Amino acid sequence: MSSLAEKKSLAAKRSPRATAVDSAPATACQEEMKEQLRELRLPMFREHFQTLAEQATRESLSHPQYLAELTRLEFQARRQRRVQRLWEESRLPRGKTWETFDWQRIPLAVARQGESLRDGSFLDRRENLLVFGKPGSGKTHCVCALAQRLVQQGRAMLFTSCSLLVQSLLAAKRDLRLQKAIKQLARFEGLILDDLGYVQHGREEMEVLFTLLAERYERGSVLLTSNLPFSQWEQIFKDPMTTAAAIDRLVHHCVIWELNVTSYRLENAQKNRRTTSSTQPKEA
Ligand code: ADP
Ligand code: MG
């Protein structure tokens, strides 16, 4: 018997009492480790380090492989929790997803851009997405579909109707906390303003919207949908200067989608009507 370690292991094999004595510090060590992992907030490490260690011995995994497996579990669980939280905070309408949107119904160039925006790099570049089209053409749905994909990648998005947001900003202004409210929106990498111009707004309401757009310019992306082309935006912003300034900030770094398709709702209603009339019994 040459080394001390070998002597110890032989002794452990011979005497069960010696094993119990040796494993006591090991158990204490694991208990201490569990405590520390709790404090470090590494629940997956804490839950799995023992069973994975047994598995690693069985499958002759190396130390780095064992550690990599534990780290992967922790990472995945954390990513999942983050995505769940982002999804809840995003207020994105459920059901308006990538899968349920028929991308073939919109112009091919737009569908292709949809694919390329999915990687989220436009958010890093603080670019905006402006979507135009008639009511029912799918503006809200396709923007939500894109946003849903981005949330899945861990991006912070917020969906809000333009009117609702304007109302809340107006309330914030009255309480002298407009800047604070705008700052709170800054944590979202993508802010969806749905239906700009759908409701006629007053001058004061448009002022707060303009303040928001000016503050967000080059600091965070805006994803905006509108039935009104730029040429009619003066109706929204009330005066030509503010209109030009708002458009200027939005289009400086942006992607524009023109959906140019008829209403999906109308098309479906017409289809249904045709189906119903063709199944109705003909009068003799
Ligand atoms: P818009 O915002 O342009 O008024 P929406 O996105 O609200 O239109 O679409 C109206 C309805 O039609 C929604 O229920 C939406 O889910 C559906 N819809 C529109 N376009 C499509 C499409 N290409 N594929 C699937 N559903 C669509
Ligand atoms: Mg809409």
Side-chain angles (χ1 to χ4, degrees), residues 139-140 194-195 225:
K139 301 179 297 294
T140 303
D194 194 36
D195 266 339
T225 75

Side-chain angles (χ1 to χ4, degrees), residues 136-150:
S137 56
K139 301 179 297 294
T140 303
H141 192 148
C142 69
V143 167
C144 290
L146 175 65
Q148 174 237 352
R149 280 295 156 106
L150 296 169

Side-chain angles (χ1 to χ4, degrees), residues 97-240:
T97 61
W98 191 276
E99 292 75 20
T100 56
F101 191 73
D102 178 2
W103 291 92
Q104 289 185 342
R105 205 180 170 269
I106 60 171
L108 183 63
V110 173
R112 285 207 180 123
Q113 270 183 337
E115 278 292 333
S116 75
L117 294 190
R118 263 169 70 169
D119 72 359
S121 56
F122 78 101
L123 296 174
D124 299 324
R125 295 191 296 272
R126 306 331 186 225
E127 283 173 7
N128 299 325
L129 171 64
L130 313 178
V131 186
F132 295 97
K134 295 193 192 102
S137 56
K139 301 179 297 294
T140 303
H141 192 148
C142 69
V143 167
C144 290
L146 175 65
Q148 174 237 352
R149 280 295 156 106
L150 296 169
V151 166
Q152 279 172 355
Q153 290 165 37
R155 301 297 199 141
M157 309 292 292
L158 180 69
F159 174 88
T160 167
S161 90
C162 202
S163 334
L164 263 182
L165 183 76
V166 163
Q167 290 313 318
S168 78
L169 290 179
L170 210 56
K173 189 181 173 194
R174 284 187 197 124
D175 298 344
L176 304 175
R177 48 173 190 86
L178 180 60
Q179 283 308 319
K180 197 173 167 205
I182 289 176
K183 220 175 185 172
Q184 278 169 350
L185 294 171
R187 73 191 171 91
F188 295 102
E189 299 169 271
L191 175 63
I192 303 168
L193 298 181
D194 194 36
D195 266 339
L196 174 71
Y198 206 68
V199 179
Q200 292 289 318
H201 297 289
R203 189 175 286 271
E204 203 192 356
E205 285 157 317
M206 283 309 106
E207 266 170 25
V208 290
L209 180 60
F210 180 77
T211 310
L212 169 72
L213 294 178
E215 291 279 334
R216 248 190 115 78
Y217 172 62
E218 291 189 332
R219 292 203 189 117
S221 299
V222 171
L223 294 82
L224 186 145
T225 75
S226 183
N227 303 324
L228 296 179
F230 288 137
S231 56
Q232 291 179 36
W233 277 27
E234 223 176 287
Q235 291 173 29
I236 309 171
F237 287 100
K238 309 298 171 207
D239 74 90

